[in-house]
Amino acid sequence: WDYTLVATTDSLPGIDATWRCTTVPFRPDQHDKLFIGPPDVRVAGRLWLRTHFTLSLEAATQAVDLHCERVNDRCLVVVNGQRVAENSEGWSPFSVPLGRAVRAGENELMLGVTGGDGGTAVSHRPIGLPWFYGGFKGVPLPLHLETHALLAIEEVAIETHLLGGSRLVSRVTVR
C-alpha cells in the first residue's frame, strides 16, 4: 500500500501527488502518525491509501465486493478513478459492491480516510471507548476483496394465512 495526504476532503490526489509506502492494516498508532502534518491537512484533509490488484477475465465477469472490518472514521472508496461509495459509520464493518468500476487486468483501489478531527464521524465511536484508542485513524483491521456470482432477485412474494385460527403460516417465494 502507498499513502499521501491531500489538504481537502473534496479532492482526489493529483497526478503529481507524492506517494509513500505503508502497511494495511496498520499496527496501533501507525496511521495516526500519518495524519500529523500541517494543521490544514489534519483538520480538513484526507489520508489516501492506494493499492493495485489484478482481476482475471473470469473474476471480472462476477460481482466484486470490498469488505472492510473497520476504517476510522470516514472512508471514501475510489476504484480506477471512480468514486464508488462513502462510509461514515467509522467503527463498524462495511461492504461495498465495486460494480462496473472494476475491470479485467490491473485495477487501482484508493481509500480516502478522514480521522476524528475536524467534525468527522466521531459520534459513531463506541460508548466507553478508551481514551488511548481514540487516536487510531486509518485502517486498523483487515480488508479484502471477494468475487461471487451475479445474482438478481426479480420478485419476492409473501403469502400469509391463519391455520386453525391461531397459527400464522407464511410462504416466501423468491424468483
Side-chain angles (χ1 to χ4, degrees), residues 35-77:
F35 279 89
I36 298 173
D40 59 331
V41 172
R42 282 196 314 257
V43 174
R46 193 181 288 268
L47 168 70
W48 283 96
L49 299 162
R50 174 183 73 177
T51 192
H52 294 87
F53 63 95
T54 303
L55 284 180
S56 68
L57 186 56
E58 178 185 351
T61 62
Q62 298 181 339
V64 180
D65 296 338
L66 171 67
H67 300 281
C68 298
E69 290 189 36
R70 179 181 304 147
V71 177
N72 301 350
D73 277 323
R74 291 185 184 204
C75 176
L76 175 61
V77 179

Side-chain angles (χ1 to χ4, degrees), residues 80-123:
N80 297 324
Q82 297 179 41
R83 293 174 189 237
V84 175
E86 186 158 7
N87 179 56
S88 61
E89 293 300 313
W91 296 78
S92 302
F94 66 94
S95 295
V96 174
L98 301 182
R100 298 183 189 274
V102 294
R103 58 182 176 243
E106 185 79 11
N107 291 271
E108 179 185 67
L109 170 65
M110 293 194 309
L111 303 177
V113 180
T114 57
D117 302 328
T120 59
V122 295
S123 63

Side-chain angles (χ1 to χ4, degrees), residues 152-170:
I153 297 175
E154 294 179 10
E155 179 183 1
V156 176
I158 302 172
E159 298 175 35
T160 60
H161 63 278
L162 287 175
L163 195 67
S166 62
R167 196 171 110 196
L168 180 65
V169 178
S170 300

